[in-house]
Amino acid sequence: MTIRDYQQADYDKLYEIDHAVFSKEIAYTHSEFRWYLRSRRCRTLVAEDAGEIVGFVTASVESRNAGHIITIDVAPRRQRQQIGSRLLEAIEAWLWEKGAEAVYLETAVDDSGARGFYERHGYFVFERRAGYYNDTLDAYLMMKTAKRSMA
């Protein structure tokens, strides 16, 4: 498996994976997704195995000292194969390199699997945001500091 930068030809497959992984309420619309993929503050890394895209992660540099993981998606049939962990590690390395002292992300409160995944990678719940997803579903704001990443 290789991890590489996003290419425009990847768009349809990434959009398909996002909609296979997340419910309609959480998955990105075409316009939201395109905005993140085109933003100069964002970077998208793609996991590819034998020529097949199996996952991706998008993150942004929010300020000189904060990084934001916007989404991390692994094709449902390829989950629990360390793909998400490798994508997370790669994007965190980029964010730390860019000077982030902390990295944060949001995850739905009803997704205990995602919360557990992030906790295993050193993230902690910082706060709960009411109605974060389309004013209907709460999210946990989770964070990892550079100090925690070294532990």
Side-chain angles (χ1 to χ4, degrees), residues 76-130:
R77 66 180 185 77
R78 296 300 304 266
Q79 292 177 359
R80 303 198 184 283
Q81 296 177 17
Q82 301 299 311
I83 296 165
S85 294
R86 290 189 56 195
L87 285 165
L88 183 61
E89 181 180 296
I91 205 71
E92 284 177 343
W94 176 71
L95 291 166
W96 302 137
E97 179 183 297
K98 292 292 185 185
E101 295 175 14
V103 175
Y104 70 96
L105 57 90
E106 300 84 14
T107 190
V109 297
D110 65 354
D111 191 344
S112 60
R115 180 178 173 185
F117 170 81
Y118 291 119
E119 286 175 342
R120 285 189 301 278
H121 288 88
Y123 287 79
F124 60 94
V125 174
F126 184 73
E127 69 181 47
R128 183 175 177 141
R129 292 197 172 165

Side-chain angles (χ1 to χ4, degrees), residues 15 26 28 33 41 48 52 56 60 71 79 94 102 105 117-118 135:
Y15 186 81
I26 295 176
Y28 288 107
F33 201 50
R41 292 188 338 192
E48 194 171 52
E52 177 189 8
F56 70 97
S60 66
T71 192
Q79 292 177 359
W94 176 71
L105 57 90
F117 170 81
Y118 291 119
D135 296 324

